[in-house]
């Protein structure tokens, strides 16, 4: 009996937890958190390429190159297929506007 | 009739309270109070992101120790290539940014009253709590291996005193001696780290104890990046490292810590130095507060990191089950940042947003020879953080020496970048 009650409560809790609705499309302001982990310090003593002061188009072109050429980079080509074309554009746009700061 | 244990009672009443909480938001005029448990990768990353996006929130970080030594790069310390001090960070910059740092050990979380208790007898109340306390060792799993005897075969799986102890044992090991690493079955903290450790110790032995042997007694048959490790071991440390898979031993049945011996059905392994990495679980205080359900790790909503067992408690990093993501510092940091956004959204009554989450685990096989495995994850329509198809993967097996060198230097840059983001 008690087990049934507790199951019911957990069920209600899970239902409540599902709302509000979460959108499944990745948003640039959150996705950029991953870029930051390696690129935050780049351009100083780091050999990881800097993303600072680049236009949306420059960044987007680079991302598209990673998508097309599989061997030229160490890491980035392994990641690029993970984003939709729109997500890549949003990300490039976000980084060119705001850099890698959390916002 | 079945009676409640404390764990079920806590969860049940927390669950019953959920409806009430949603019906009457408790923000009031006060600043939202967020307590973060853990001063490591997940906790500090959550704290710094939350402070940036919600400077008005009242943020307290509870941590057991007043400095943090990173497990990443602790294998360089074991191999005598770096000091412990160089991987140890203070919380001063976080305090300077206006976050409160409370040094103390959390003993219970009460999700109903939204308060946590500390070993020093004090309590901290919160609107939401974010917990990223890492792992605890399971000392009750393998006959002969106990908490009291752990220092005879240090795990060095939390960076600190045991890291130095293992380093010192290795540097005073007799010439031609045997170093054994026992690697547990998954899931455990940083799946590739035992093999990185074997590699960097081999680098040390090649210079200081060239006839020494390294045996990895593994509870698994295979491991991530195995082909890359094996290729590099052959090239750099030919004949020094032997991997003994589960299929050759049948698995561990007992240890004799005093004699540095590991017993399996097929063979016993005796070392001169033994690095025993035991099976692991989420810390006791989470499990005893009912946050692990009947399991050893904490189940969460993988979009918001909110516990499946109690509202207003978010759990991430090594202690949580987070879809396909490995238990790594990179993963914990990303999860911390995403969780900070989710907590801000929920406190502000907005729908949480989602992202593509990345993880790269670099391994240094030698100081200038790096390999990596990468993954990308997103929420699927069942709410799980799954690996994105045809994305990620390991370094190429045919990569040139330059690429191996570049990956090593990226590993150092990754470390500097992330620790700078966390600790300033
Ligand atoms: C040898 C080794 C090498 C590794 N190398 C890498 C690597 O190269 N890259 C990588 O990404 N990952 C690596 N990892 C994995 C990485 O260390 C962990 O995945 C990461 O630390 C997990 O972050 P976390 O926030 O869950 O826990 P942690 O970073 O361990 O932080 C836990 C924090 O919680 C605090 N805490 C715990 N219990 C309590 C309590 N009761 N009360 C108050 N505070 C508490 C602790 O003091 C600590 O501050 C490595 C691990 C090992 C062992």
């Amino acid at each position: 009996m008690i087990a049934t009650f507790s199951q019911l409560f957990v069920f209600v809790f899970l239902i409540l937890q599902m709302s509000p609705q979460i959108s499944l499309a990745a948003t640039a302001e959150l996705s950029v958190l991953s870029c930051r982990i390696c690129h935050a310090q780049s351009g100083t003593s780091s050999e990881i390429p800097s993303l600072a002061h680049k236009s949306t188009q420059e960044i987007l072109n680079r991302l598209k190159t990673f998508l097309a050429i599989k061997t030229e980079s160490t890491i980035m080509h392994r990641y690029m297929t993970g984003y939709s074309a729109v997500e890549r554009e949003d990300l490039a746009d976000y980084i060119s506007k705001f850099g890698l700061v959390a916002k | 009739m079945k009676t409640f244990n404390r764990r079920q009672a806590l969860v049940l009443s927390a669950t019953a309270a959920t409806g009430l909480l949603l019906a009457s938001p408790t923000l009031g005029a006060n600043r939202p109070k967020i307590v973060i448990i853990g001063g490591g990768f997940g906790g500090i990353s959550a704290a710094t992101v939350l402070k940036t996006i919600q400077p008005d929130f009242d943020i307290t970080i509870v941590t057991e120790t007043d400095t943090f030594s990173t497990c990443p790069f602790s294998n360089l310390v074991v191999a005598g290539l770096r000091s412990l001090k160089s991987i140890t960070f203070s919380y001063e910059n976080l305090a300077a940014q206006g976050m409160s740092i409370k040094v103390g050990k959390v003993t219970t979380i009460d999700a109903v009253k939204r308060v946590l208790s500390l070993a020093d007898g004090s309590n901290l109340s919160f609107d939401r709590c974010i917990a990223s306390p890492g792992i605890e060792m399971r000392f009750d799993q393998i006959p002969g291996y106990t908490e009291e005897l752990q220092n005879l075969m240090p795990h060095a799986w939390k960076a600190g005193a045991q890291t130095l102890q293992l380093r010192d044992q290795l540097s005073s090991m007799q010439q031609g001696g045997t170093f054994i690493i026992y690697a547990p079955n998954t899931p455990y903290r940083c799946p590739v780290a035992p093999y990185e450790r074997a590699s960097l110790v081999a680098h040390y032995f090649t210079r200081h104890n060239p006839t020494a042997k390294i045996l990895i007694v593994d509870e698994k048959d295979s491991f991530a990046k195995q082909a890359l490790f094996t290729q590099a071991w052959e090239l750099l440390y030919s004949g020094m490292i032997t991997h003994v898979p589960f299929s050759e031993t049948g698995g561990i049945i007992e240890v004799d810590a005093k004699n540095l011996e590991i017993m399996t059905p097929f063979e016993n392994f005796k070392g001169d130095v033994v690095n025993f990495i035991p099976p692991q679980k989420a810390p006791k205080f989470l499990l005893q507060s009912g946050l692990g359900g009947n399991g050893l790790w904490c189940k969460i909503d993988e979009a918001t990191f909110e516990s499946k067992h109690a509202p207003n408690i978010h759990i991430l990093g090594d202690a949580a089950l987070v879809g396909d993501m490995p238990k790594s510092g990179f993963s914990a940091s990303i999860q911390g940042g995403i969780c900070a956004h989710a907590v801000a959204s929920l406190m502000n009554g907005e729908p949480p947003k989602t992202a593509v989450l990345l993880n790269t685990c670099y391994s240094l096989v030698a100081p200038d020879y790096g390999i990596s495995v990468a993954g990308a994850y997103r929420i699927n329509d069942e709410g799980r953080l799954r690996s994105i198809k045809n994305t990620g993967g390991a370094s190429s097996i045919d990569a040139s020496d330059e690429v191996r060198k570049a990956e090593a230097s990226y590993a150092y840059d990754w470390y500097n970048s992330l620790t700078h983001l966390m600790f300033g």
Side-chain angles (χ1 to χ4, degrees):
Chain A
M1 194 54 195
I2 286 169
T4 329
F5 266 133
S6 91
Q7 274 161 8
L8 182 70
F9 276 124
V10 169
F11 181 68
V12 170
F13 170 47
L14 291 181
I15 298 269
L16 287 171
Q17 231 188 5
M18 279 177 194
S19 57
Q21 261 303 311
I22 291 169
S23 147
L24 293 183
T27 47
E29 66 183 297
L30 267 69
S31 289
V32 76
L33 292 169
S34 291
C35 315
R36 257 159 52 97
I37 292 213
C38 293
H39 289 275
Q41 284 287 88
S42 59
T44 50
S45 62
S46 171
E47 289 187 25
I48 296 175
S50 169
L51 295 176
H53 315 299
K54 298 247 187 314
S55 71
T56 306
Q57 206 50 49
E58 277 175 282
I59 298 172
L60 194 57
N61 287 345
R62 195 79 190 105
L63 296 183
K64 284 184 182 158
T65 316
F66 290 131
L67 197 59
I69 304 169
K70 298 287 176 205
T71 50
E72 179 212 11
S73 73
T74 59
I75 293 282
M76 288 303 292
H77 66 278
R78 302 184 221 165
Y79 280 145
M80 265 319 109
T81 47
Y83 302 85
S84 69
V86 174
E87 286 169 346
R88 272 192 299 275
E89 264 174 53
D90 286 350
L91 204 50
D93 197 39
Y94 184 95
I95 293 171
S96 86
K97 286 206 178 83
F98 304 111
L100 293 169
V101 189
K103 205 180 71 73
Chain B
M1 194 186 110
K2 200 173 157 213
T3 49
F4 275 139
N5 61 32
R6 183 177 152 69
R7 179 202 281 193
Q8 285 164 328
L10 262 180
V11 169
L12 185 55
S13 43
T15 307
T18 316
L20 267 179
L21 291 180
L22 284 184
S24 57
T26 48
L27 286 187
N30 294 331
R31 299 161 71 199
K33 203 166 158 47
I34 311 297
V35 173
I36 296 174
I37 306 171
F41 282 89
I44 297 305
S45 300
T48 50
V49 171
L50 191 59
K51 189 71 199 167
T52 316
I53 59 176
Q54 292 287 347
D56 53 320
F57 282 15
D58 176 354
I59 301 171
T60 301
I61 301 167
V62 191
T63 169
E64 244 182 303
T65 46
D66 61 1
T67 57
F68 180 71
S69 300
T70 63
C71 283
F73 281 17
S74 68
N75 286 333
L76 288 169
V77 178
V78 168
L81 292 161
R82 228 177 142 122
S83 68
L84 184 62
K85 194 163 165 259
S86 77
I87 58 163
T88 299
F89 298 85
S90 93
Y91 300 112
E92 277 165 20
N93 283 331
L94 297 152
Q97 288 170 47
M99 291 174 251
S100 310
I101 310 291
K102 164 83 187 165
V103 178
K105 190 177 164 77
V106 178
T107 52
T108 48
I109 309 180
D110 187 331
V112 189
K113 296 192 181 128
R114 281 181 286 134
V115 63
L116 54 82
S117 315
L118 287 101
D120 64 9
S122 63
N123 293 315
L124 279 171
S125 61
F126 53 82
D127 292 307
R128 281 184 186 269
C129 170
I130 299 175
S132 188
I135 50 155
E136 229 164 65
M137 303 306 162
R138 296 177 75 189
F139 290 112
D140 55 353
Q141 280 301 293
I142 294 160
Y145 182 74
T146 62
E147 189 161 6
E148 292 69 41
L149 295 177
Q150 60 170 313
N151 285 330
L152 297 174
M153 308 190 299
H155 51 73
W157 223 240
K158 293 183 177 187
Q162 286 200 6
T163 311
L164 297 180
Q165 194 191 339
L166 184 59
R167 177 196 68 187
D168 295 345
Q169 286 181 353
L170 289 167
S171 66
S172 53
M173 190 175 90
Q174 65 179 30
Q175 289 295 309
T178 300
F179 171 44
I180 296 178
I181 298 177
Y182 172 77
N185 208 346
T186 43
Y188 63 94
R189 159 174 285 182
C190 204
V192 288
Y195 314 97
E196 180 191 66
R197 180 170 285 173
S199 312
L200 290 174
V201 171
H203 179 266
Y204 172 82
F205 281 161
T206 304
R207 281 146 189 83
H208 302 282
N209 192 345
T211 52
K213 293 273 177 257
I214 301 174
L215 272 187
I216 306 170
V217 179
D218 210 327
E219 210 59 36
K220 309 175 284 302
D221 276 328
S222 59
F223 55 90
K225 295 189 270 192
Q226 185 161 2
L228 290 162
F229 274 110
T230 310
Q231 178 191 54
W233 291 344
E234 197 43 54
L235 181 75
L236 302 170
Y237 318 115
S238 182
M240 187 177 267
I241 302 175
T242 308
H243 178 251
V244 188
F246 175 87
S247 60
E248 284 177 23
T249 65
I252 194 163
I253 44 179
E254 192 181 351
V255 301
D256 181 345
K258 295 207 171 88
N259 283 317
L260 302 178
E261 208 170 349
I262 294 174
M263 270 71 90
T264 75
F266 292 159
E267 198 177 341
N268 294 347
F269 299 90
K270 190 167 160 47
D272 295 290
V273 175
V274 178
N275 170 210
F276 195 85
I277 305 164
Q280 297 151 30
K281 62 181 171 65
K284 219 177 300 153
F285 80 90
L286 288 178
L287 302 180
Q288 285 176 348
S289 300
L291 296 161
N294 293 322
L296 294 171
W297 306 98
C298 300
K299 274 198 187 154
I300 51 163
D301 173 315
E302 291 168 15
T304 62
F305 297 90
E306 189 165 10
S307 168
K308 287 277 190 193
H309 300 289
N312 302 311
I313 316 275
H314 300 251
I315 307 168
L316 53 96
D318 288 356
L321 286 171
V322 193
D324 294 337
M325 295 190 81
K327 297 189 186 303
S328 75
F330 194 130
S331 294
S333 293
I334 275 302
Q335 293 163 14
I338 302 290
C339 179
H341 275 274
V343 164
S345 298
L346 291 167
M347 293 303 292
N348 297 328
E350 293 158 6
K353 297 173 188 150
T354 59
V356 172
L357 284 74
L358 305 179
N359 173 68
T360 305
C361 285
Y362 286 105
S363 298
L364 291 168
V365 187
D368 58 356
Y369 188 114
I371 55 178
S372 64
V373 59
Y377 311 85
R378 69 195 308 155
I379 292 285
N380 71 3
D381 47 15
E382 285 158 13
R384 305 299 311 274
L385 266 175
R386 290 293 182 212
S387 294
I388 302 172
K389 280 208 189 89
N390 304 321
T391 302
S395 312
S396 162
I397 195 89
D398 321 305
S400 63
D401 293 351
E402 286 73 56
V403 168
R404 302 283 187 238
K405 212 169 164 177
E407 290 227 75
S409 81
Y410 290 158
Y412 297 106
D413 291 340
W414 162 82
Y415 182 84
N416 292 335
S417 175
L418 179 51
T419 52
H420 181 79
L421 276 175
M422 290 165 61
F423 299 102

